Amino acid sequence: MAKKLKRRTTIVQAGIGSDPAYHDVIPPLHLSSTFKIDGIEKKGPYEYSRTRNPTRDILAEAITTLEGGANACITSSGMAAITLMLQLLKPGDLLVAPFDCYGRAYKLIQTLADKGHFKLKFADLYSSEGLDDAFSKPPRMVFIESPSNPVMRTSDIADICKRAKKHDALVAVDNTFLSPILQQPLALGADLVIHSTTKFLNGHSDVVSGAVVTKTNELWEELDFWSNSMGLIGAPFDSYMVLRGMRTLELRINRAQENAGTIAEMLAAHPAIKTIYYPGLPSDSNHAIAKKQQEGFGAMLSFELKGGLEAARQFVEAVEIFSLAQSLGGTESLLCHPATMTHVAMGEKARAEAGVTDGLLRLSIGIEHVDDLMDDLNAALIQASAKAA
Ligand SMILES: *Cc1c(COP(=O)(O)O)cnc(C)c1O
């Protein structure tokens, strides 16, 4: 097909009618660990499912198309995707990573650096002084998470890529919070895109999985060697589920984002709220850069209550529709207390530096009717401020 299709069409159409055996409209789930070969030196396209699997391949192609990459590796989790990406580094190479990155990623790279796998600098990738410092020694790889979790700091991806290119450094962007519908890191100059497909791409909170998309085929070949050799692969069933969920990605993220925008405006004007972090608000310090490089502001936001930890405690017990749970990006709305949940592994000192206070709450806005979500939040805010006062 010569014509370039719109993104939504490419996901809805991924693998449709491509089954060579029975012409299934929906690509079938291939669970087989191994594939029959016609004879010596008569190999087919598939031999063994750790190396290559048809269901996983269709998902890889779909995510690659969405991100505008050359190819992708599908992994068993977002953390496995980060682990795979780190195989591109050797001892002595410098990795620059954000000081406020995803708690488990923070702990992983810190521990591997302590063991001598590579050199590491945690940097402030959000200010020009921070960036000058980040590039004071030539890095081999720069890892970006934008917007960052949970306070939604936004890095200028194109600027960081330009600086990295001067040193021939690779740039990897964790695009989990926005998905390829709202942000296209490869088009902004990045070399690798990381996803926890557990979140928006699958979108139904029933799979843990990940992906690395590469800009070039050479990078993919190197990662493909490591994924096959280290067994950093996604299961066929999980791949089937993620592909199924992804078909509605654009519809889901657009509705969730619309809800989030309405909720953010309500929270920003609420007397019980001390600070709100949502780059979609014109008053947010990240608004300009988010507007420049994103196609939307997403469905994640966080806020701090005036009553601090005690008010947060009351609030999480008062909500009825929002579930207090880790993770994000599902159809259902979730509420998280980062200091005791997602960001425990970081430790108190790093949490304080990252702005993850004890009173901070993070919302993953779902696709429910916005009126019901607003009523739930408003009722909880009244209870929380009454009890904390
Ligand atoms: C969840 C998450 C990860 C880790 O992904 P898993 O699928 O849980 O292993 C990495 N980065 C970000 C931004 C995440 O939200």
Side-chain angles (χ1 to χ4, degrees):
M1 216 178 303
K3 190 173 177 296
K4 195 172 179 305
L5 299 170
K6 305 275 189 224
R7 266 177 293 180
R8 193 199 310 158
T9 309
T10 70
I11 343 177
V12 173
Q13 284 291 322
I16 295 292
S18 66
D19 169 47
Y22 298 108
H23 300 189
D24 296 34
V25 168
I26 297 300
L29 165 54
H30 292 278
L31 290 171
S32 192
S33 60
T34 190
F35 299 86
K36 199 173 161 199
I37 292 168
D38 286 342
I40 290 170
E41 291 173 342
K42 286 186 186 165
K43 290 177 184 171
Y46 294 98
E47 293 171 45
Y48 185 56
S49 277
R50 189 190 65 244
T51 313
R52 196 121 289 134
N53 173 278
T55 309
R56 196 162 66 225
D57 275 0
I58 293 175
L59 175 63
E61 195 182 322
I63 298 183
T64 300
T65 309
L66 278 183
E67 289 284 2
N71 214 327
C73 296
I74 303 300
T75 58
S76 58
S77 66
M79 287 311 301
I82 293 171
T83 301
L84 182 58
M85 164 196 95
L86 294 173
Q87 305 314 311
L88 296 170
L89 298 170
K90 57 184 185 313
D93 284 349
L94 176 64
L95 170 67
V96 169
F99 71 101
D100 60 346
C101 69
Y102 180 73
R104 187 51 56 182
Y106 186 96
K107 200 73 193 165
L108 172 72
I109 57 181
Q110 188 183 47
T111 310
L112 287 175
D114 285 348
K115 286 179 78 177
H117 285 229
F118 43 78
K119 290 198 177 118
L120 172 65
K121 185 181 178 78
F122 282 121
D124 167 12
L125 302 179
Y126 312 101
S127 70
S128 58
E129 310 84 70
L131 283 169
D132 289 344
D133 179 52
F135 285 93
S136 56
K137 287 201 188 106
R140 174 69 195 118
M141 183 188 282
V142 182
F143 184 46
I144 299 175
E145 196 187 305
S146 185
S148 74
N149 179 19
V151 298
M152 312 298 288
R153 292 190 187 93
T154 308
S155 320
D156 187 332
I157 297 174
D159 177 47
I160 294 174
C161 291
K162 226 182 280 164
R163 289 173 187 254
K165 287 309 132 205
K166 285 188 200 140
H167 302 288
D168 257 340
L170 295 168
V171 176
V173 178
D174 186 331
N175 205 20
T176 299
F177 263 42
L178 290 174
S179 94
I181 300 298
L182 301 180
Q183 179 164 269
Q184 299 264 288
L186 298 180
L188 294 168
D191 304 283
L192 302 147
V193 174
I194 303 294
H195 275 289
S196 167
T197 53
T198 311
K199 317 292 169 55
F200 286 101
L201 293 192
N202 177 58
H204 293 75
S205 306
D206 51 9
V207 174
V208 173
S209 56
V212 186
V213 187
T214 64
K215 183 174 211 157
T216 66
N217 223 41
E218 293 72 51
L219 275 173
W220 177 77
E221 278 170 12
E222 200 173 337
L223 290 180
D224 185 54
F225 165 83
W226 286 112
S227 89
N228 187 23
S229 306
M230 299 182 85
L232 293 170
I233 53 159
F237 181 74
D238 295 353
S239 302
Y240 180 90
M241 293 289 279
V242 174
L243 184 64
R244 186 182 202 265
M246 266 171 59
R247 298 195 191 281
T248 55
L249 171 64
E250 187 179 308
L251 302 180
R252 284 186 284 105
I253 205 154
N254 283 339
R255 173 52 59 91
Q257 164 173 265
E258 198 182 301
N259 286 352
T262 310
I263 288 168
E265 278 177 24
M266 182 273 281
L267 293 176
H270 200 285
I273 307 276
K274 185 173 152 202
T275 327
I276 170 152
Y277 303 98
Y278 185 66
L281 294 169
S283 56
D284 191 283
S285 60
N286 297 288
H287 182 70
I289 171 70
K291 198 171 168 187
K292 184 181 82 165
Q293 72 186 7
Q294 297 170 198
E295 288 172 53
F297 302 106
M300 299 298 300
L301 61 92
S302 59
F303 62 91
E304 205 171 331
L305 291 164
K306 279 189 183 147
L309 178 60
E310 194 42 44
R313 221 187 281 281
Q314 302 293 342
F315 185 85
V316 301
E317 284 171 24
V319 284
E320 288 177 1
I321 296 179
F322 283 79
S323 296
L324 181 64
Q326 293 207 18
S327 202
L328 57 112
T331 50
E332 74 293 345
S333 292
L334 297 179
L335 166 67
C336 163
H337 182 240
T340 56
M341 293 166 66
T342 47
H343 287 63
V344 173
M346 245 178 144
E348 206 175 330
K349 186 167 171 283
R351 265 203 309 279
E353 281 164 11
V356 184
T357 59
D358 288 346
L360 188 79
L361 293 170
R362 186 188 77 183
L363 301 182
S364 169
I365 306 296
I367 63 170
E368 301 94 338
H369 199 292
V370 72
D371 292 352
D372 293 327
L373 296 179
M374 299 266 274
D375 287 350
D376 196 32
L377 294 172
N378 269 313
L381 283 169
I382 291 169
Q383 285 198 41
S385 37
K387 290 221 179 117

